[in-house]
Structure formats: C-alpha cells, structure tokens
Amino acid sequence: MIIVMKRDAEKKDLNNVVESIEEAGFKVHLSRGTERTIVGVIGDERLLDKKHYESFPGVEEIVPILKPYKLSSKDFHPEGTTIEIGNVTVGSDEVVVIAGPCSVEGWDQLRTTAGEVKNGGAKILRGGAFKPRTSPYSFQGLGEEGLEMLDTVGEETGMPVITEVMGPAQVDLVCQYADILQIGARNMQNYNLLQAVGETGHPVMLKRGFSNTIDELLLAAEYIMSNGNYNVMLCERGIRTFDSKYTRNTLDINAVPVLKDLSHLPVIVDPSHATGKWELVLAASRAAVAAGADGLIIEVHPKPTEALSDGRQSLLPTRFNTLMQQISHIAEAIDRRVEVPALKEPAGV
Ligand code: PEP
Ligand code: MN
C-alpha cells in the first residue's frame, strides 16, 4: 500500500508514519514529489492494519497496491526516474542513444566504432566482453581484456560504457570497468544475479527475457530495487512469438507505452536484437522513438560481415548516421530531442 501525505503535512507527521511502519517490521520507500510525499510500504501488506494509519495526523489517504511489484511501480513513484551516468541523463526529454559493437573484438574495431557512433550522436558506448552465446563453440567474448578496452575507449571518446554481466561472480569485476551493467535477456530471471547487481548501486539496464511477460520484467526490476539499487532502466529487446521466419524476434512495441504507464523507470528499446536484421533496424528505431522510448541501444560495426557476433543485425556507421537524423525528427514531433551533430557538408560544396 501507499500512504499519501497531505500537502501541508509536517516533517514530524511523516516521521511518525515512517517509524510506526518500520516498527511493524515493514520497509519504507519515500517518494518526495513537488506536491506531496508518498510513503510506500514494502512487505506483506496483509499483515498490516491499514485503517490504523488513516487517523495519523498529516495522512491524506491510504491506497492499497494490488500490483505485485512496488518499487518499480508508478504508484510508488509517480514522477519519472532519471538516471545520471557521468554527463548523460537517461529518462529526461532527451532520447539517449547507446551504440557500439555487439562484442568487443579488439582495439581497432572498438576505437573505430566508438569514434563513428560518437560522431553520429551516440551518448553511451556498448560492447560485450562476456557474451551469452547460444552455442558454446561461438566466440565467447574477450573477457577482462575486453572490459579494459571498453573502459579505455569510453574514456578516450568521453562516453560512459555499458556491458553485460553474466553471473554474480563477475559483478565486482564488471563494476570496475563499466558505467552501466547490462543484464541480458537470458538472465532476466537469474535472481542471484539480480540481487548481486542490486547491492552495487551501479546503474543497470535490465533486458526483458524473450519469453517473459511485462509483469515478470517489472518483478525482476523489483529484485534489483529491493536490494537498494534504484538506478534501473528496462529494455524491450523483442520476444519470441509464432512468427520467426523474417525476424529474429518480435519487437513488442506495445511494451513501451505499457511500461511507461506502469512504471517510472526509463525504457530503452533494442531494435537490433528485436529484428535481427540491419535492414529492419531503422524502421524499428523510428517506431520505438515514436512510441515513447527513453533511449535506444543499437549494434554498429565497421565491417558487419566480419563481426564475431551479430553481424547480420549490425549497422554500418553511415546507416547509423541516417538513423540518428531520422529519429531526431520523430523525437521533435513528440516534444523530445535527440542531439545529433550537424551533417558535414561533402568536401568542395
Ligand atoms: C546483446 O546485447 O548483445 C545481447 C546478447 O542481448 P540479449 O541479451 O538481448 O540477447
Ligand atoms: Mn548482440
């Protein structure tokens, strides 16, 4: 349940409510809005006498929350969450683009890609060092060496970096190099991992599992948040449906407005994994921005045909530039923005 405090409630009124809830063995999450404070009660509500709190001074109303998730729900935190990552803010009116290769493959590949995506307007650099490959014989990533490259190239280009962490034992290591921890689709319900990243306070991008419902995604976010880490972004990356002939997954575009309605957490869309084909990434990106996504994560490679993973869905840098220009117009039409550098005039013009 949430306890909505009156606009003119005093500090001591709030303290009384909080103390009483904590004494009853529940946790409290405070959301201080511009208008009023909301006290979120975390725990098994059936054990709490709701009527008791109605008489507390400063209390406006008690609202039972029927949804299974609390901290990730908009009821607990009506204002949208913004997450600061270095000089980048996710969840504001700016649609933030994360781009880079699927896997970090080497210095040249990463430096070239990072330079290109930065010039195109990307704000955050992606690159996998620990890769969750379907086959154990496929390239598994460069491991710590890849993390070092990502960290260095992120510094060189002035971009925060995001990379996947695949297990609880890797969390400390990945935190040393990455600004954002990515939880991959295959690990969305790895509860030990969610708990471990929850204990770090590091920003996390949680990808929706390809067979998971929206409620399951929000409950996975709840695992991270209930361990004290509120810096969570949700990522729609396509789900499995009956139709997989022309696309790798089905981009659930509905998930964007649904998540924005249910939750205060920023929503990122991954059109690369959702479609699996570079030719479809542009259209899916435009749709994601139009649907209200707070950001996109896009795979880019200077030589997609030589990529060690996901080359089929990786954009050439020139195509990435086109994507950035197009989504900037769409963002503008819905009162948001994508910061794209002005296109360079061809020499001699
Ligand atoms: C990736 O981002 O390269 C990746 C493996 O994504 P997902 O977990 O969505 O498949
Ligand atoms: Mn990939």
Side-chain angles (χ1 to χ4, degrees), residues 72-93:
S72 55
S73 114
K74 219 173 196 171
D75 300 320
F76 261 49
H77 192 103
E79 284 160 37
T81 283
T82 53
I83 302 176
E84 312 280 335
I85 308 131
N87 53 359
V88 182
T89 305
V90 178
S92 74
D93 62 332

Side-chain angles (χ1 to χ4, degrees), residues 129-199:
F130 294 105
K131 294 303 301 176
R133 304 306 299 280
T134 303
S135 164
Y137 309 119
S138 302
F139 176 61
Q140 302 286 310
L142 295 180
E144 186 167 1
E145 205 191 344
L147 293 177
E148 275 164 16
M149 292 176 185
L150 198 59
D151 185 19
T152 307
V153 175
E155 292 261 321
E156 286 170 4
T157 49
M159 286 186 284
V161 298
I162 177 169
T163 197
E164 177 159 356
V165 54
M166 280 176 36
Q170 285 171 359
V171 171
D172 285 347
L173 177 73
V174 177
C175 278
Q176 286 170 36
Y177 296 100
D179 301 288
I180 308 172
L181 306 174
Q182 174 172 323
I183 303 293
R186 291 155 192 81
N187 267 319
M188 191 204 87
Q189 288 182 308
N190 180 341
Y191 298 121
N192 288 340
L193 178 60
L194 300 179
Q195 255 163 299
V197 299
E199 281 161 16

Side-chain angles (χ1 to χ4, degrees), residues 102 126 131 273 299 310 313:
C102 176
R126 68 149 286 150
K131 294 303 301 176
H273 292 86
E299 289 185 342
D310 287 348
Q313 66 198 31

Side-chain angles (χ1 to χ4, degrees), residues 100-134:
C102 176
S103 299
V104 175
E105 298 171 6
W107 287 107
D108 282 353
Q109 173 250 18
L110 189 61
R111 281 206 174 100
T112 308
T113 317
E116 295 277 10
V117 300
K118 165 99 182 178
N119 287 340
K123 291 289 172 72
I124 299 172
L125 177 63
R126 68 149 286 150
F130 294 105
K131 294 303 301 176
R133 304 306 299 280
T134 303

